[in-house]
């Protein structure tokens, strides 16, 4: 294989959790630069890799063939929320593992022309699939309340109304630098601040443009449906909104009853479909954070199909 341009977060921990054996079928739901996929292939697994970003799929197609017929890597240019339909169409009813690395990839962040980051100026885009409504389209057309709601809900920005008001007043916004400057001015930015105040707004707009939280919820249900008995689901998330969805999903699916508290008799007929492997999320070691600062907020949760 060609060298991976980025080191995936919690790689050893993810591979250990999935523990793939030769011939196991594993889904890498967020292919990106292919770091998890490479490690899974090295363990002898058959990997179905999903990514909505055409650049990621194109890069994956340049990998040298494994020499097998058919190859053990199958690329799918689809959202991971579509994995159930795609795998069914491919004739695969059950898989032995699924890994999901939620959020924007390092590869996307490092490409200024994709418009995900404010570290380098670029078009205000943020579209993972490179089609549909861009960040600029949304921010230059939505009303102030809609923008404020997105900033508050997806970025947990407490001063969302102030920021939204500043965005509307500064329109049109065309670049990541335009948006960053508006947010910083609205919130007050000091060069020595530990965290750039534009971070929350960029996160919120990106999540909205890509429908990331709905995608995550649908992807979790699809993964659970595809996993065979004993199959493992490993999910790496990077902020509280994602982690909360993953945690609540696993807890719900690990419970035999989900009736509201105080219900005298169970009426939901819900049966547990998974067991929790990680009662507390696995987090990166200090050594990993030192070599990859983007790993700092990562959390890994693992569940097993029963």
């Amino acid at each position: 294989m060609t060298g991976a341009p980025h080191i995936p977060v919690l790689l050893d921990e993810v591979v250990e959790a999935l523990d793939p054996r030769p011939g196991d079928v594993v889904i890498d739901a967020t292919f990106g630069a292919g770091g998890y996929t490479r490690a899974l292939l090295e363990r002898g697994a058959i990997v179905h890799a999903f990514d909505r970003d055409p650049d990621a799929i194109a890069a994956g197609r340049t990998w040298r063939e494994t020499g097998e017929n058919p190859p053990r890597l199958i690329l799918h240019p689809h959202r991971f929320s579509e994995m159930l339909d795609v795998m069914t169409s491919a004739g695969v009813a059950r898989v032995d593992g699924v890994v999901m690395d939620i959020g924007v990839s390092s590869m996307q962040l490092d490409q200024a022309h994709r418009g995900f980051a404010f570290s380098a100026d670029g078009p205000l885009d943020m579209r993972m699939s490179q089609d549909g409504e861009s960040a600029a389209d949304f921010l230059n057309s939505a009303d102030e309340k809609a923008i404020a709601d997105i900033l508050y809900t997806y970025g947990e920005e407490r001063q969302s109304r102030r920021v939204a008001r500043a965005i509307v007043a500064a329109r049109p916004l065309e670049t990541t630098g335009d948006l960053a400057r508006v947010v910083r001015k609205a919130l007050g930015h000091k060069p020595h601040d530990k965290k750039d105040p534009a971070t929350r707004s960029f996160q919120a707009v990106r999540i909205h443009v890509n429908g990331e939280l709905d995608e995550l919820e649908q992807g979790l249900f699809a993964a659970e449906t595809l996993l065979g008995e004993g199959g493992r689901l490993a999910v790496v998330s990077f902020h509280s909104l994602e982690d909360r969805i993953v945690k609540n999903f696993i807890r719900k699916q690990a419970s035999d009853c989900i009736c509201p508290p105080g219900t005298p008799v169970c009426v939901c007929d819900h049966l547990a479909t998974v067991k929790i492997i990680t009662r507390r999320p696995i987090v990166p070691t200090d050594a990993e954070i030192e070599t990859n600062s983007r790993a700092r907020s990562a959390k890994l949760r693992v569940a097993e199909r029963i």
Side-chain angles (χ1 to χ4, degrees):
M1 297 290 176
T2 55
H6 298 286
I7 301 172
V9 173
L10 293 167
L11 175 61
D12 292 341
E13 292 83 351
V14 165
V15 174
E16 181 181 351
L18 295 179
D19 191 24
R21 310 296 171 86
D24 279 359
V25 178
V26 181
I27 292 175
D28 183 346
T30 48
F31 177 65
Y36 294 124
T37 288
R38 285 183 172 87
L40 295 167
L41 290 171
E42 288 171 1
R43 293 283 291 267
I46 299 166
V47 180
H48 287 261
F50 285 74
D51 207 300
R52 67 166 103 174
D53 189 337
D55 285 356
I57 296 297
R61 287 176 176 150
T62 67
W63 290 11
R64 293 200 306 265
E65 295 291 344
T66 62
E68 299 183 23
N69 187 22
R72 287 187 291 110
L73 170 61
I74 302 94
L75 293 165
H76 299 286
H78 294 278
R79 298 168 179 261
F80 61 73
S81 60
E82 301 170 327
M83 72 173 83
L84 179 57
D85 289 341
V86 172
M87 295 298 286
T88 300
S89 297
V92 180
R94 290 287 179 269
V95 300
D96 301 292
V98 178
V99 57
M100 305 168 72
D101 180 355
I102 307 305
V104 66
S105 72
S106 294
M107 183 171 59
Q108 291 165 333
L109 283 171
D110 290 343
Q111 296 174 330
H113 70 276
R114 299 296 303 276
F116 285 98
F118 47 78
S119 54
D121 203 13
L124 191 54
D125 194 320
M126 301 192 192
R127 297 172 296 176
M128 293 179 178
S129 60
Q130 301 186 38
D131 62 11
E133 180 186 57
S134 69
D137 293 335
F138 167 66
L139 292 173
N140 289 325
S141 63
D143 63 38
E144 185 178 311
K145 182 181 184 304
I147 295 172
D149 289 346
I150 292 299
L151 298 180
Y152 183 81
T153 303
Y154 296 147
E156 299 177 300
E157 175 54 71
R158 295 181 179 180
Q159 299 187 66
S160 58
R161 293 182 180 178
R162 176 184 294 181
V163 176
R165 192 178 310 120
I167 287 172
V168 170
R171 293 197 297 208
L173 304 178
E174 297 180 352
T175 70
T176 54
D178 290 343
L179 177 58
R181 284 188 290 272
V182 169
V183 176
R184 289 167 182 157
K185 184 176 180 180
L187 297 179
H189 175 52
K190 300 178 180 62
H192 61 270
D193 285 346
K194 187 175 181 181
K195 186 175 182 178
D196 194 306
T199 302
R200 293 184 295 273
S201 294
F202 269 72
Q203 172 187 298
V205 175
R206 190 202 79 221
I207 288 175
H208 168 70
V209 165
N210 295 289
E212 292 179 38
L213 300 189
D214 289 340
E215 179 81 1
L216 174 56
E217 291 177 348
Q218 295 171 38
L220 289 170
F221 278 106
E224 178 206 23
T225 303
L226 282 166
L227 284 170
E229 183 178 352
R232 292 274 182 95
L233 169 65
V235 186
V236 178
S237 60
F238 290 87
H239 60 73
S240 59
L241 295 177
E242 299 166 341
D243 182 58
R244 192 177 305 126
I245 289 173
V246 176
K247 177 177 67 176
N248 290 342
F249 174 82
I250 292 176
R251 283 183 177 177
K252 177 181 177 181
Q253 300 311 106
S255 302
D256 277 332
C257 176
I258 55 173
C259 290
T263 304
V265 179
C266 177
V267 295
C268 69
D269 295 325
H270 186 272
L271 294 176
T273 55
V274 305
K275 66 178 179 180
I276 299 172
I277 301 300
T278 51
R279 291 290 170 183
R280 293 180 179 274
I282 298 171
V283 298
T285 62
D286 291 341
E288 179 172 3
I289 293 172
E290 186 174 346
T291 58
N292 181 10
S293 61
R294 289 175 180 169
R296 184 177 295 109
S297 60
K299 293 182 178 180
L300 167 63
R301 294 187 185 272
V302 183
E304 182 178 300
R305 193 72 157 87
I306 58 176

